[in-house]
């Protein structure tokens, strides 16, 4: 009886390993069709006044890029995190609006994007948190400091806000944040923006649970960029970057863990997420997280359109005023 049982077990193990190997090798993402609403709006952006890149040194010795927007006697600072595939240039109009309102701004090229390391890659999950700590220690933006993240950058800001490093920022402002593919806010494929190589993603997740991380450099996500944008932006994410530039898997616990003052802005016409669902999702937070739907703004429009920029400044001012109230007590 033992020999047939062992033979069956061997077949199961070999089949499982074979399926993992095939998924890792052939289960990667294909490029989705170009998404006009994510590409075209940036064609009309005036980039005059875009600051040159500055750099700071991460703990691994890599120089990482950011753009500094200075203002005399700032009433606080914003650290900006761009969306998936993008870089600091995409935050230029937002940065200018914040400067006009009296806030100093630092727009990051998050590692794996723009001028910060190899595009689409980080060395390990958690490296982006280490980079953010290194940035804050070296650059020391004027207080109070708000971490402002858009889309995937908003998801990463949520990761920080609900995690062990939350106190390095005074507040958080999440702009149409990616919460989870399992959250009710999520449209399938982010409305056409994302193709996930699900077989490879699942296989790598299983291997990581087994302590095998040698294949985490492989791409698992592809974005709906135009051919021109693919040349300058980041068309694909490795497993490590895709896992790091988002909240932790248990997004409900992450939201419950928010302790610093936090607000959420979402375009009422967002085509990548379901805007109305954000209210209930962030209702899980133990401290109140206001959610504002900006009429007339779609996903990318949340960073470019004047009504959205007005809502951004209003939210930043409310967060600043909270600090003023606390300092008077």
């Amino acid at each position: 009886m033992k020999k047939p049982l062992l033979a069956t077990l061997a077949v199961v193990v070999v089949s499982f390993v074979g399926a993992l190997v095939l998924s890792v090798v052939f289960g990667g993402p294909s490029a989705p069709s170009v998404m006009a609403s994510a590409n075209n709006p940036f064609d009309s952006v005036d980039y005059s006044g875009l600051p040159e890149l500055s750099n700071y040194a991460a703990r691994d010795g890599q120089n990482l890029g950011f753009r500094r927007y200075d203002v005399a006697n700032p009433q606080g600072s914003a650290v900006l995190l761009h969306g998936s595939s993008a870089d600091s240039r995409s935050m230029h109009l937002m940065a200018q609006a914040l400067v006009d309102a009296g806030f100093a701004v630092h727009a990051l090229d998050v590692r794996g994007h723009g001028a910060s390391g190899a595009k689409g890659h980080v060395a390990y999950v958690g490296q982006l948190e280490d980079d953010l700590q290194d940035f804050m220690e070296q650059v020391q933006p004027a207080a109070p400091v708000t971490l402002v993240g858009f889309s995937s950058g908003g998801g990463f800001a949520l990761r920080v806000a609900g995690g062990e490093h939350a106190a390095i920022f005074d507040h958080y402002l999440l702009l149409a944040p990616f919460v989870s593919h399992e959250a009710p806010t999520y449209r399938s494929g982010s409305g056409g923006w994302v193709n996930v190589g699900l077989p490879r993603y699942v296989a790598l997740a299983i291997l990581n649970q087994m302590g095998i991380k040698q294949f985490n450099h492989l791409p698992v996500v592809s974005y709906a960029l135009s051919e021109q944008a693919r040349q300058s932006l980041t068309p694909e994410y490795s497993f490590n970057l895709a896992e790091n530039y988002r909240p932790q898997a248990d997004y409900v616990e992450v939201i419950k863990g928010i302790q610093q003052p936090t607000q959420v802005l979402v375009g009422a016409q967002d085509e990548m997420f379901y805007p109305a669902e954000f209210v209930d999702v962030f209702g899980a937070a133990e401290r109140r997280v206001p959610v504002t739907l900006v009429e007339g703004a779609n996903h990318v429009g949340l960073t470019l359109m004047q009504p959205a920029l007005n809502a951004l400044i209003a939210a930043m001012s409310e967060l600043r005023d909270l600090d003023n109230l606390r300092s008077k007590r």
Side-chain angles (χ1 to χ4, degrees), residues 95-306:
Q96 287 185 315
L98 287 163
V99 166
D100 290 343
F103 296 95
V105 178
H106 301 79
L108 305 188
D109 275 3
V110 175
R111 186 191 291 259
H113 308 78
S116 295
K119 288 184 179 179
H121 298 279
V122 297
Y124 54 89
V125 178
Q127 190 169 34
L128 296 185
E129 288 95 316
D130 291 345
D131 291 344
L132 204 53
Q133 285 184 289
D134 294 341
F135 169 81
M136 291 297 288
E137 289 172 4
Q138 293 178 43
V139 178
Q140 298 185 355
V145 187
T146 304
L147 185 62
V148 183
F150 168 62
S151 198
S152 287
F156 178 59
L158 174 58
R159 181 187 188 93
V160 179
E164 60 181 316
H165 304 301
I168 65 175
F169 294 96
D170 298 291
H171 341 105
Y172 292 84
L173 182 53
L174 314 178
L175 309 178
F178 170 71
V179 176
S180 170
H181 65 279
E182 296 180 343
T185 53
Y186 186 72
R187 294 183 193 266
S188 178
S190 291
W193 171 237
V194 174
N195 263 356
V196 178
L198 194 59
R200 179 180 287 169
Y201 211 139
V202 172
L204 292 179
I206 293 171
L207 290 172
N208 273 251
Q209 289 294 317
M210 299 164 62
I212 301 171
K213 301 182 179 181
Q214 289 88 339
F215 306 104
N216 286 7
H217 64 284
L218 294 174
V220 295
V221 179
S222 184
Y223 295 103
L225 293 171
S226 67
E227 190 56 41
Q228 180 180 359
R230 291 178 72 85
Q231 304 308 311
S232 59
L233 301 181
T234 303
E236 294 181 329
Y237 280 5
S238 71
F239 180 84
N240 276 343
L241 182 54
E243 284 291 281
N244 203 166
Y245 206 42
R246 55 162 292 164
Q248 297 88 339
D250 191 347
Y251 71 90
V252 175
E253 286 302 310
V254 174
I255 290 172
K256 285 181 179 179
I258 293 173
Q259 295 300 318
Q260 305 291 76
T262 300
Q263 292 200 30
V264 177
L265 301 181
V266 185
Q269 282 69 49
D270 195 305
E271 74 280 23
M272 295 191 191
F273 303 133
Y274 291 111
E277 299 291 346
F278 281 87
V279 175
D280 287 341
V281 166
F282 280 90
E286 292 182 1
R287 73 175 293 157
R288 180 172 175 267
V289 177
V291 176
T292 300
L293 301 185
V294 181
E295 287 296 333
N298 65 353
H299 191 74
V300 169
L302 194 64
T303 68
L304 301 176
M305 299 174 66
Q306 193 59 52

